[in-house]
C-alpha cells in the first residue's frame, strides 16, 4: 500500500492509463482461503473462507458495489490491521444479522467488518458465488500490497497503454520481464 505511489508515478503517465490498484489475486483466478471465526455469531466456529488482500483502490477500479458500510480508507488508521470487507454471501455463511461492526478473527488477527459488497462473480462465471473476505495487507515487508497490478486504461489507446506499462515496468524492475493479461479475455 505504501509503495503504490511508485507504481502510480510509473504507470499513470499520459492519458492511456486511467487508474491503478494492487491485490494478491486477480478476478477470475483461484483465491486463497483463510480460516475465519465470527466472534459475533450465535455459534462461532472456524470456517475456511476465500480471502483477497486488496488495496484502497481495488473496489473502485473494479466497480464493486457497496451494499453497506464502506471500503477501506487511509483516513482510518485501524483499517490496515483491523478492518474486513465481506460480500453478501459471507453474511449468510457466517450467520450474521448486523454485519457492520461484527468481529472476525483469523490467523492474522482480529478486526471488525466495515463494509459489505454486493455479490459478484470474482471467480469463474461457471461457479456459484461463494463467501469472500477482503482485507488490506497485514504485513508487507516494504513491498506492495500484492503481486498483481490492476490497470484501467482507455480502450481506444490499448497500444499506448501497453507501451506505458512496458516502459514503467523497465524503470521499476529492469531485470524482470513484464507479464500482462487482459481481464476481459482471461475471465470465463
Amino acid at each position: 500500500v505504501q509503495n503504490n505511489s511508485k507504481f502510480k508515478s510509473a504507470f499513470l503517465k499520459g492519458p492511456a492509463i486511467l487508474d491503478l490498484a494492487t491485490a494478491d489475486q486477480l478476478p477470475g483466478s483461484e483465491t486463497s482461503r483463510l480460516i475465519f471465526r465470527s466472534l459475533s455469531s450465535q455459534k462461532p466456529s472456524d470456517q475456511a473462507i476465500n480471502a483477497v488482500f486488496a488495496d484502497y483502490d481495488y473496489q473502485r477500479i473494479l466497480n464493486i458495489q457497496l451494499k453497506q458500510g464502506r471500503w477501506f480508507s487511509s483516513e482510518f488508521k485501524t483499517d490496515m490491521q483491523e478492518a474486513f470487507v465481506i460480500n453478501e454471501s459471507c453474511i449468510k455463511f457466517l450467520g450474521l444479522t448486523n454485519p457492520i461492526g461484527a468481529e472476525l478473527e483469523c490467523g492474522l488477527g482480529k478486526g471488525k467488518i466495515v463494509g459489505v459488497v454486493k455479490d459478484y462473480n470474482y471467480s469463474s462465471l461457471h461457479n456459484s458465488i461463494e463467501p469472500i473476505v477482503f482485507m488490506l495487507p497485514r504485513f508487507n515487508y516494504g513491498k506492495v500490497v500484492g503481486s498483481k497490478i490492476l490497470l484501467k486504461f482507455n480502450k481506444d489507446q490499448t497500444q499506448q497503454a501497453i507501451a506505458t506499462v512496458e516502459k514503467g515496468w523497465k524503470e521499476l524492475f529492469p531485470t524482470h520481464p513484464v507479464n500482462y493479461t487482459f481481464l476481459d479475455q482471461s475471465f470465463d
Side-chain angles (χ1 to χ4, degrees), residues 65-137:
Q65 294 180 6
L66 277 170
K67 293 291 285 186
Q68 297 178 45
R70 62 178 177 81
W71 189 257
F72 308 112
S73 171
S74 59
E75 294 178 19
F76 296 89
K77 299 301 179 201
T78 56
D79 278 6
M80 183 62 74
Q81 298 295 325
E82 301 173 5
F84 299 103
V85 174
I86 64 174
N87 68 350
E88 294 170 303
S89 293
C90 198
I91 294 172
K92 296 174 203 140
F93 185 74
L94 293 173
L96 299 171
T97 52
N98 298 308
I100 302 302
E103 291 185 305
L104 285 181
E105 179 178 42
C106 70
L108 302 172
K110 291 181 185 179
K112 292 187 180 186
I113 297 170
V114 299
V116 176
V117 297
K118 182 177 168 77
D119 279 345
Y120 71 98
N121 285 91
Y122 61 86
S123 182
S124 170
L125 297 176
H126 305 288
N127 297 341
S128 60
I129 297 170
E130 295 182 350
I132 192 167
V133 176
F134 298 94
M135 64 191 91
L136 290 168

Side-chain angles (χ1 to χ4, degrees), residues 36-47 94:
F36 287 91
R37 174 182 290 241
S38 171
L39 303 175
S40 299
S41 294
Q42 296 287 351
K43 298 178 185 176
S45 63
D46 292 344
Q47 302 286 344
L94 293 173

